[in-house]
């Protein structure tokens, strides 16, 4: 008596994890997911705990970690580097704090532009135009 292969097929895993099939293949290419074993018929069979791994990857992304950063945090990763989750989370928190400070400065300047009733970015005629002396030129679009 033969037993059916244990594991989740690609579509089943994608459905349970709330991702699409292309995401699974992409994560395999990036080394976030191990290449799954194959059924006798050639179907990919993922271990059931892959659902939890995908949930952890998606949670880390929502916290602002890039896929490279996530890969470095995964056990058994080829890209694993020194510094665990605590160190990397502290670095990510500092990055978020910098971005919040930048956005706060942008917000305050925009509020001053509205209050001063500025009418042009380059040739404003309002007496108290906040744009020329703004520190916003020092803020890059993606933060610092």
């Amino acid at each position: 008596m033969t037993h059916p292969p244990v594991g989740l097929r690609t579509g089943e895993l994608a459905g349970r994890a709330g991702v699409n099939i292309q995401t699974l293949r992409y994560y395999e290419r990036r080394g976030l997911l191990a290449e799954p074993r194959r059924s006798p018929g050639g179907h990919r069979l993922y271990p059931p705990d892959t659902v939890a791994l995908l949930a952890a990857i998606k949670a880390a992304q929502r916290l602002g970690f890039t896929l490279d950063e996530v890969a470095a945090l995964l056990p058994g990763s080829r890209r694993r580097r020194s510094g665990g989750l605590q160190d990397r989370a502290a670095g990510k928190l500092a990055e978020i704090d910098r971005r919040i400070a930048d956005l706060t400065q942008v917000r305050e300047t925009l509020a001053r532009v509205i209050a001063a009733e500025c009418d042009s970015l380059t040739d404003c005629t309002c007496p108290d135009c906040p744009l020329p002396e703004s520190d916003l030129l020092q803020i890059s679009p993606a933060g610092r």
Side-chain angles (χ1 to χ4, degrees):
M1 178 185 263
T2 60
H3 296 283
V6 177
L8 302 172
R9 288 175 59 167
T10 303
E12 187 179 13
L13 174 61
R16 287 188 187 184
V19 299
N20 63 49
I21 292 170
Q22 291 79 15
T23 299
L24 296 177
R25 302 257 165 73
Y26 181 67
Y27 286 1
E28 280 181 44
R29 287 192 305 273
R30 296 285 306 261
L32 295 161
L33 295 179
E35 187 175 330
R37 61 187 183 82
R38 301 276 182 159
S39 72
H43 296 286
R44 289 179 152 113
L45 293 174
Y46 294 88
D49 63 350
T50 308
V51 175
L53 175 59
L54 287 167
I57 292 168
K58 298 312 269 180
Q61 285 184 293
R62 283 191 301 277
L63 291 173
F65 288 98
T66 66
L67 286 179
D68 284 338
E69 291 169 330
V70 172
L73 290 168
L74 293 175
S77 170
R78 295 174 283 189
R79 301 179 198 166
R80 189 153 177 112
R81 290 171 261 175
S82 62
L85 180 58
Q86 288 294 310
D87 291 340
R88 293 183 185 276
K92 189 59 64 179
L93 182 60
E95 178 185 319
I96 297 295
D97 286 342
R98 284 189 300 275
R99 288 171 47 199
I100 289 171
D102 288 347
L103 286 171
T104 299
Q105 184 178 2
V106 168
R107 186 189 187 293
E108 289 168 358
T109 301
L110 285 171
R112 289 194 333 260
V113 166
I114 292 167
E117 298 181 0
C118 295
D119 56 5
S120 171
L121 182 62
T122 58
D123 299 312
C124 187
T125 59
C126 72
D128 297 321
C129 182
L131 291 174
E133 72 271 357
S134 173
D135 291 334
L136 294 178
L137 297 175
Q138 299 169 8
I139 298 175
S140 69
R144 292 196 180 142

